[in-house]
Amino acid sequence: MVFHKGASLLTKLRSRAVQQPGLRNSVRWFQVQTSSEDLHSQLKELIPEQQERLKKLRSEHGKVQLGNITVDMVLGGMRGMTGLLWETSLLDPEEGIRFRGLSIPECQNLLPAAKSGGEPLPEGLLWLLLTGKVPTKEQVDSLSKELRNRATVPDHVYKTIDALPIDAHPMTQFATGVMALQVQSEFQKAYEKGIHKSKYWEPTFEDSLSLIAQLPIVASYVYRRMYKNGQVIPMDDSLDYGGNFAHMLGFDDPAMQELMRLYVTIHSDHEGGNVSAHTGHLVASALSDPYLSFAAALNGLAGPLHGLANQEVLLWIKSVVGECGENVSKEDLQKYVWKTLNSGKVVPGFGHGVLRKTDPRYTCQREFALKHLPEDPLFKLVSNLYEVVPPILLELGKVKNPWPNVDAHSGVLLNYYGLTEARYYTVLFGVSRAIGICAQLIWDRALGLPLERPKSVTMEWLEKHCKK
Ligand code: NMX
Ligand code: MLT
């Protein structure tokens, strides 16, 4: 079966089902077709087909050109240069992300939820990213259970984190915890013993599932250590992945648990070229195991132009409130935006390397806010920024995308439910991003993707080349 065909069939079925309610059963029928197998056996079945597909693509079309590489691209952070294979998701500059062919609203409609009409369960998205198929609720529940069974963190991990100063940045503590988890890598053990390359994906799968399972525990340990006097909350065996993460952080409001499910789902994957995904993929291409690769990815996510922007947005919004009050007028907001720009800083939460329209991840968080916190003053401020910031960025004349990205909205939602510590926000992004990076990493090994090693040149080389 071809992945995108399954996804586009679902898309068609869904849109027809919306128009003709009687067809809703067809979507369920499609889902039931996949219910008999577990995740590992589904992958085992899919891998040979996809290996053949890649082989054919390469032998039939290996020499087809995908575009020209210009000096601008080399000097401009490789923007617009197609250079990576990434199966789990694809980003359209106008429409935004699709996970295995499904948009965010489609995932919200099709992926199983904790309660009827609720937000998608991130385990369902993991299943979708890995197999290209929408799982049944039964399959998702069994994956939730499997993740809970794998969620035991060795004691030395806590001790390693405890060796850091309590005020070390949460991302430093989190990435350190992930490095400490690495000692349990099945891939590393198998490689040391000697494993045939056709089998690499199996210990990669094991490591990936264990890593994904253990991340919320490490992440909530960092949070409770830093902000709640080290009082750790154990996992609740009756809860799913996102619900449990909120619970272990200390949030049992069902709406916050729903937010966490949505948050983890939408931050998981954004095709392969973003800094964290690309870093994870690059490091893994050296056959570094999933723990090593994901720790590297986290260090990229911790940069302010990437994942740390979610922290920067809330701190910036709070500084607006500090200076102008919660009910800041649009005129004062404009002045504040100009002040930020004139001091040589970026307006966090706006702009994107690929997107050229409002990020659908922003839109779905806005819909969540309209449903759950329409009167929140910070949500109103975020809504006003949507009107105020883009015209100013356009006036600069150089910003390619003046619209808000995912980070423009997440902080006010978390803040509303009591997760007010902005410096922690990127850790939440990190837990989620593991799902996308690990899903692709399993496919990297299954498809036998090679060491990544692009060619670099000097300015002198470029000058000489351009004179020719
Ligand atoms: N505020 C001020 N200036 C901006 C902004 C912004 N929000 N966005 C772009 N620019 C500037 C950019 O700094 C560059 O200036 P210069 O030529 O002087 O270096 C110019 O506009 C052209 O940049 P673009 O080609 O539009 O954007 P690029 O692809 O280089 O960068 C971002 C993309 C996301 C790094 C950039 O838009 C930005 O810094 N945004 C604010 C930080 C942010 O929200 N990051 C989160 C991205 C999403 N995520 O989660 O990772
Ligand atoms: C992401 O989610 O990784 C960001 O939107 C950045 C990107 O896609 O480049």
Side-chain angles (χ1 to χ4, degrees):
M1 105 130 212
V2 176
F3 286 150
H4 62 265
K5 268 201 190 151
S8 72
L9 171 59
L10 264 179
T11 309
K12 275 187 210 143
L13 283 170
R14 193 203 133 256
S15 58
R16 278 165 58 204
V18 170
Q19 290 151 19
Q20 303 168 45
L23 273 178
R24 278 187 194 126
N25 287 338
S26 313
V27 174
R28 212 172 307 125
W29 175 85
F30 184 88
Q31 292 173 2
V32 169
Q33 293 306 295
T34 68
S35 69
S36 56
E37 312 148 55
D38 68 14
L39 192 50
H40 185 270
S41 34
Q42 281 209 7
L43 274 172
K44 212 169 177 166
E45 193 183 308
L46 290 165
I47 284 169
E49 294 170 16
Q50 296 304 309
Q51 286 171 335
E52 271 312 300
R53 186 177 167 203
L54 184 78
K55 218 165 123 190
K56 188 164 179 272
L57 186 64
R58 203 157 185 187
S59 67
E60 288 179 6
H61 306 294
K63 303 285 177 269
V64 172
Q65 290 206 353
L66 295 178
N68 289 323
I69 294 172
T70 63
V71 175
D72 265 345
M73 286 169 166
V74 173
L75 302 182
M78 298 191 276
R79 257 358 143 269
M81 198 189 277
T82 302
L84 293 169
L85 182 73
W86 194 266
E87 288 291 276
T88 50
S89 66
L90 188 64
L91 183 62
D92 180 87
E94 306 289 316
E95 190 202 34
I97 195 68
R98 279 187 178 266
F99 303 113
R100 290 285 189 186
L102 297 183
S103 68
I104 288 175
E106 285 166 349
C107 285
Q108 285 175 301
N109 275 332
L110 290 169
L111 290 177
K115 56 173 189 182
S116 167
E119 300 300 342
L121 290 162
E123 301 88 316
L125 186 84
L126 172 60
W127 189 293
L128 173 72
L129 294 182
L130 273 169
T131 64
K133 297 175 186 179
V134 174
T136 61
K137 178 73 165 65
E138 203 186 7
Q139 287 170 323
V140 170
D141 286 345
S142 81
L143 182 54
S144 295
K145 195 169 163 206
E146 163 142 30
L147 292 173
R148 280 195 302 273
N149 290 342
R150 288 173 182 261
T152 309
V153 170
D155 211 37
H156 77 267
V157 176
Y158 303 118
K159 289 189 184 135
T160 308
I161 295 171
D162 286 345
L164 289 166
I166 194 112
D167 59 352
H169 193 279
M171 281 299 276
T172 305
Q173 302 198 34
F174 187 44
T176 302
V178 172
M179 280 305 295
L181 284 174
Q182 190 275 341
V183 298
Q184 54 188 359
S185 171
E186 293 297 328
F187 182 87
Q188 193 189 48
K189 283 181 207 141
Y191 197 85
E192 272 173 13
K193 266 197 214 148
I195 177 176
H196 192 275
K197 51 163 69 172
S198 63
K199 300 256 180 272
Y200 284 168
W201 78 269
E202 301 250 14
T204 303
F205 176 84
E206 287 303 312
D207 281 355
S208 295
L209 252 57
S210 298
L211 173 62
I212 291 169
Q214 291 163 5
L215 286 176
I217 301 188
V218 176
S220 49
Y221 182 79
V222 170
Y223 181 74
R224 304 293 301 180
R225 171 179 192 247
M226 291 185 76
Y227 306 115
K228 306 289 170 189
N229 299 319
Q231 285 167 337
V232 171
I233 301 172
M235 205 170 73
D236 177 342
D237 275 344
S238 70
L239 282 171
D240 54 279
Y241 189 78
N244 234 326
F245 187 21
H247 165 73
M248 288 188 289
L249 288 167
F251 302 95
D252 285 320
D253 179 343
M256 173 61 163
Q257 295 187 353
E258 276 292 90
L259 174 63
M260 194 59 83
R261 292 176 188 119
L262 178 67
Y263 187 102
V264 175
T265 298
I266 63 174
H267 284 77
S268 60
D269 205 23
H270 217 229
E271 72 171 28
N274 67 77
V275 171
S276 51
H278 186 190
T279 306
H281 179 76
L282 166 69
V283 173
S285 82
L287 295 187
S288 302
D289 64 58
Y291 297 92
L292 296 172
S293 308
F294 181 66
L298 279 180
N299 291 325
L301 194 70
L305 295 186
H306 188 23
L308 201 83
N310 59 7
Q311 154 184 324
E312 294 301 287
V313 168
L314 198 77
L315 295 178
W316 187 84
I317 286 178
K318 289 204 166 160
S319 70
V320 174
V321 173
E323 198 167 307
C324 315
E326 260 181 2
N327 298 316
V328 51
S329 67
K330 286 192 185 160
E331 291 68 34
D332 283 344
L333 259 186
Q334 281 166 343
K335 282 187 199 146
Y336 201 90
V337 171
W338 276 116
K339 190 172 135 184
T340 302
L341 292 171
N342 291 335
S343 62
K345 296 178 188 159
V346 294
V347 181
F350 286 79
H352 201 270
V354 176
L355 280 167
R356 293 296 174 257
K357 288 275 167 64
T358 298
D359 191 335
R361 299 173 298 177
Y362 173 93
T363 310
C364 78
Q365 292 182 88
R366 176 172 168 75
E367 279 159 12
F368 188 96
L370 284 168
K371 189 166 154 195
H372 295 278
L373 44 133
E375 297 309 323
D376 178 54
L378 293 191
F379 167 54
K380 289 185 176 167
L381 206 160
V382 164
S383 300
N384 285 339
L385 285 170
Y386 193 13
E387 289 176 36
V388 165
V389 175
I392 297 179
L393 290 183
L394 281 178
E395 215 177 308
L396 287 181
K398 61 178 182 179
V399 179
K400 295 199 188 63
N401 173 35
W403 303 108
N405 59 53
V406 64
D407 300 314
H409 216 306
S410 52
V412 295
L413 300 178
L414 298 165
N415 186 70
Y416 176 80
Y417 289 109
L419 210 171
T420 55
E421 298 86 356
R423 283 179 94 225
Y424 185 76
Y425 289 173
T426 313
V427 175
L428 303 174
F429 196 156
V431 170
S432 167
R433 191 44 62 98
I435 291 178
I437 292 179
C438 289
Q440 178 58 43
L441 210 162
I442 293 165
W443 277 103
D444 289 353
R445 295 292 77 83
L447 295 172
L449 296 189
L451 179 86
E452 199 174 284
R453 205 313 187 179
K455 174 83 185 87
S456 70
V457 289
T458 59
M459 276 206 266
E460 189 189 4
W461 186 96
L462 284 171
E463 285 156 354
K464 280 188 186 153
H465 182 84
C466 295
K467 273 185 199 144
K468 273 188 204 158

